Amino acid sequence: ARHSTDKQCSSAQDQIDRCREFCRQAGYQVVDVFRDEAISGAHIYNRPGISALISASVEQRFDRVISEDLSRISRDQADTANFFKKMMFLDISIQTVAEGVINELHIGLKSTMNALYLKDLADKTRRGMIAAVLKGSVPGGRTYGYELLRSYDAHGELVRGARRINENEARIVRQIFSDYAAGMPLSNICSALNRLAIPSPKGGKWVPSTLVGVAARKTGLLRQTLYNGTVTFNRMSYRKHPETGKRLSIIRPENEWLRVPVPELTIVDDELFNTVQQMLDHRSSRKRELMLLNKARTPQEQAEYRAKLNRECRARQSNRPGARHYLFSGRLYCGRHMEKIVRIGSRSYSCKNKHCFNRNVSFDTIMAPTLLGASQLSAHHIEEWLASPEVAEKRAIHEESIDDLKSKIESERQLLRDILAGLGSLQQGEEVRGILDDKELQIRRLRQDLEKQKAALAELTQPRSIDEIISRYFKKLTSLEERPADLDAHRKIRPFIQRIELNGKWDEHSQHWNRVAKVNFNFAQLLTLQK
């Protein structure tokens, strides 16, 4: 089963239910289920579900693959044909609810229709976006200097792409354009903004690349045509690499760009904007000249440069990720002795105390009760945690800290403004620059503390929908239940589990221990599922 987006969250399960009913009527025994959720069918690479299916087919775990229709396997002609050839080689037939048993005729005709569907969908999406831009909509995410405007049309539907000018940020944009037109270096502009601890569009420090971007792609704050009251659209086209399936952006010829005037969003006037664009083009041409000069290195210089690149590449390759963890790794405790159960082999775990029922326990023995304990989460548990006195006290502490930090930041900024106003046009000496640097660093630290307090408060705030959190949690848990050995499935559910206590009760009839896992949930982390 496969569905393309998060908005189709029930689609995969609907497909599975339909296929199960089909198998029941046909008298087939279902031995495994594979799914790819929120993944496009344009390419078969980087799809864990179909990759697991191919691996299982090599092990001869089944003799027939059932899907709702051929497009659920892939919409790419070459991938569909390659998958069909692999299954035929392993003597595994493919059957869909819609088309029946798949043969070479289906592969030729149906896969072609699926590929054409993708192309047609892309054309319609692009046409719809162009139509929206022509009506005054601004595509893309948030642009510095503007804020999203929530408005509704005559039918009560949300108008997408509406923007309005944010005056505080607009003043900064005008100042940046004026300083650059006056000949101020990019580093000085960024330094002046950072001294006042004004956050950049992404929230960090201002750097020159934020202002000028990439010349070939016309990116960067100083090249943003929206400040001059013009939306520039259709600059990029996107294609998928035929081997890796990765989406690559390719710049279109400038005569294909779409420009739509939106005078109500103008921040910078024509004269200033055009002056800045001419200066950017001149400086970009100088940079290209320097790049050409770098190509004229001597053979020895080129060898030294290549050696440097190789060293950097080896350094990146040696930066391997840390140890991989299962759901219970480092969080599993013996219910009798209240001590950690540690790993003693590749898939064996044990309590440190002798004669304990949790000695030399296998991975599968732990997983079954752990999954059962993890499935006990309910909305009542989250509501009870949010209403607890401990959480209420923590919220009050964070709110008080936020107010205090805001007051400190404003005091420090006012002090910086007074210092800069007192200096005026006087040249800043070494001591004065040191004082300004210290004040800038102090404001930045206060802002970091403020963001941490806000994030901590958000983790303790009543969510919009507890049912949505529960649904997303169990979606991840179901994925782990279907693939209990998949490390990626473990990583997705692991943050929401805080502690697991493994208890046991001796069964005289079967002469073995029946284990039960008590799971303590990380409720603060569970609230992040609403984002």
Side-chain angles (χ1 to χ4, degrees):
R2 177 189 64 79
H3 64 86
S4 301
T5 66
D6 289 329
K7 294 180 180 180
Q8 300 171 287
C9 56
S10 63
S11 178
Q13 190 57 49
D14 294 342
Q15 296 170 37
I16 292 171
D17 294 341
R18 187 180 179 190
C19 290
R20 284 189 183 277
E21 178 61 23
F22 175 80
C23 293
R24 187 189 65 79
Q25 295 179 4
Y28 299 155
Q29 179 185 358
V30 178
V31 296
D32 216 335
V33 176
F34 302 91
R35 71 173 81 191
D36 285 310
E37 304 197 32
I39 298 177
S40 169
H43 212 287
I44 208 167
Y45 290 96
N46 303 322
R47 284 176 51 190
I50 200 75
S51 298
L53 187 151
I54 293 173
S55 298
S57 67
V58 176
E59 300 171 3
Q60 295 292 318
R61 283 161 52 184
F62 45 80
D63 52 20
R64 187 178 295 264
V65 176
I66 305 295
S67 184
E68 186 179 44
D69 62 68
L70 202 57
S71 65
R72 299 304 91 195
I73 294 174
S74 179
R75 289 191 183 275
D76 183 83
Q77 294 167 286
D79 287 343
T80 306
N82 191 31
F83 179 81
F84 177 76
K85 286 193 293 184
K86 286 181 179 178
M87 295 300 107
M88 292 301 100
F89 174 77
L90 296 169
D91 199 23
I92 296 175
S93 60
I94 304 173
Q95 188 172 358
T96 66
V97 178
E99 296 98 2
V101 178
I102 300 300
N103 56 34
E104 287 79 359
L105 187 63
H106 292 95
I107 298 300
L109 294 177
K110 197 63 177 161
S111 60
T112 301
M113 293 171 61
N114 290 333
L116 290 173
Y117 167 81
L118 271 184
K119 187 176 183 301
D120 184 54
L121 181 63
D123 290 340
K124 288 180 179 178
T125 302
R126 181 166 169 267
R127 186 171 69 246
M129 293 179 69
I130 291 175
V133 171
L134 292 173
K135 291 179 182 178
S137 175
V138 179
R142 184 179 179 277
T143 303
Y144 192 79
Y146 303 93
E147 56 190 25
L148 295 175
L149 177 62
R150 298 187 66 85
S151 60
Y152 299 87
D153 58 17
H155 302 288
E157 295 184 2
L158 181 66
V159 177
R160 300 185 182 277
R163 302 283 193 278
R164 66 183 172 196
I165 296 175
N166 182 317
E167 288 301 333
N168 291 330
E169 294 180 354
R171 282 196 298 271
I172 297 170
V173 170
R174 294 188 191 100
Q175 186 63 46
I176 291 172
F177 271 81
S178 299
D179 291 343
Y180 189 83
M184 185 181 292
L186 292 171
S187 57
N188 290 10
I189 296 175
C190 294
S191 177
L193 294 170
N194 290 328
R195 283 198 186 285
L196 292 174
I198 297 172
S200 71
K202 291 186 177 181
K205 274 194 170 187
W206 290 87
V207 293
S209 60
T210 305
L211 304 181
V212 295
V214 180
R217 292 175 175 255
K218 299 290 185 181
T219 58
L221 186 146
L222 289 170
R223 291 189 173 93
Q224 176 58 262
T225 60
L226 191 57
Y227 297 140
N228 191 227
T230 301
V231 175
T232 303
F233 181 65
N234 201 40
R235 293 191 301 114
M236 311 296 296
S237 64
Y238 299 90
R239 304 173 190 172
K240 288 201 173 182
H241 194 282
E243 293 182 0
T244 64
K246 290 184 178 179
R247 190 167 177 256
L248 304 176
S249 60
I250 300 170
I251 191 163
R252 298 179 186 273
E254 197 163 345
N255 57 4
E256 295 183 11
W257 296 4
L258 182 66
R259 295 179 174 87
V260 180
V262 279
E264 67 276 9
L265 296 181
T266 301
I267 292 178
V268 180
D269 60 70
D270 292 342
E271 183 179 355
L272 178 57
F273 186 82
N274 293 332
T275 300
V276 169
Q277 301 315 302
Q278 291 173 6
M279 295 177 65
L280 285 170
D281 291 340
H282 175 70
R283 293 186 181 183
S284 297
S285 62
R286 288 292 304 276
K287 184 179 179 180
R288 285 193 292 270
E289 290 175 6
L290 291 174
M291 291 174 65
L292 291 173
L293 288 174
N294 288 334
K295 291 181 179 180
R297 294 189 183 100
T298 64
Q300 182 181 355
E301 291 172 340
Q302 290 178 352
E304 291 175 354
Y305 182 68
R306 284 195 296 268
K308 177 186 174 184
L309 292 179
N310 288 335
R311 286 195 299 271
E312 293 174 352
C313 181
R314 284 195 296 270
R316 289 193 299 268
Q317 290 174 346
S318 63
N319 187 21
R320 300 297 183 189
R324 299 180 181 182
H325 299 293
Y326 291 110
L327 165 64
F328 49 77
S329 297
R331 297 170 185 177
L332 188 62
Y333 289 80
C334 176
R336 174 182 292 175
H337 300 102
M338 292 303 167
E339 293 186 6
K340 274 191 176 183
I341 296 176
V342 297
R343 190 175 71 175
I344 58 174
S346 60
R347 292 172 70 85
S348 298
Y349 301 81
S350 181
C351 176
K352 297 178 181 178
N353 296 276
K354 292 183 178 180
H355 310 299
C356 179
F357 57 84
N358 283 326
R359 295 281 290 181
N360 198 18
V361 187
S362 69
F363 173 87
D364 295 331
T365 303
I366 297 173
M367 276 301 295
T370 298
L371 289 173
L372 182 61
S375 66
Q376 303 304 310
L377 178 68
S378 67
H380 173 70
H381 293 131
I382 299 177
E383 292 171 350
E384 189 178 47
W385 177 77
L386 286 168
S388 64
E390 294 83 2
V391 174
E393 183 180 354
K394 288 179 181 178
R395 275 199 295 264
I397 292 172
H398 290 312
E399 289 170 354
E400 183 180 351
S401 298
I402 288 172
D403 293 338
D404 184 50
L405 286 168
K406 284 182 178 178
S407 176
K408 287 181 178 178
I409 289 172
E410 187 54 38
S411 297
E412 292 295 335
R413 277 187 173 166
Q414 186 58 49
L415 181 59
L416 264 179
R417 293 189 189 100
D418 294 342
I419 293 173
L420 294 173
L423 290 172
S425 58
L426 295 176
Q427 187 175 359
Q428 298 176 9
E430 195 66 34
E431 292 185 5
V432 174
R433 285 198 295 271
I435 294 172
L436 294 175
D437 287 338
D438 290 341
K439 288 296 180 183
E440 177 196 336
L441 182 60
Q442 189 173 352
I443 292 176
R444 195 164 298 283
R445 286 173 178 168
L446 289 171
R447 283 189 59 82
Q448 289 176 348
D449 292 340
L450 177 62
E451 294 302 322
K452 288 179 182 178
Q453 292 293 334
K454 286 182 177 180
L457 179 62
E459 292 178 353
L460 305 174
T461 305
Q462 180 74 27
R464 295 187 301 273
S465 172
I466 294 180
D467 292 337
E468 180 185 2
I469 291 173
I470 296 294
S471 174
R472 292 187 176 182
Y473 167 79
F474 276 99
K475 181 179 177 182
K476 296 178 184 293
L477 186 63
T478 301
S479 177
L480 178 60
E481 290 172 343
E482 294 176 355
R483 305 191 302 274
D486 185 358
L487 281 169
D488 188 52
H490 280 267
R491 279 194 293 268
K492 289 180 179 178
I493 197 72
R494 180 177 164 83
F496 312 116
I497 305 299
Q498 194 165 0
R499 180 186 173 102
I500 302 169
E501 294 179 8
L502 196 61
N503 291 286
K505 183 178 181 181
W506 180 256
D507 188 342
E508 291 289 347
H509 178 69
S510 61
Q511 292 293 302
H512 75 276
W513 289 94
N514 290 329
R515 287 179 172 79
V516 178
K518 178 185 176 183
V519 176
N520 295 336
F521 298 97
N522 187 338
F523 293 103
Q525 194 65 33
L526 280 166
L527 295 188
T528 62
L529 289 174
Q530 67 180 320
K531 297 178 181 177

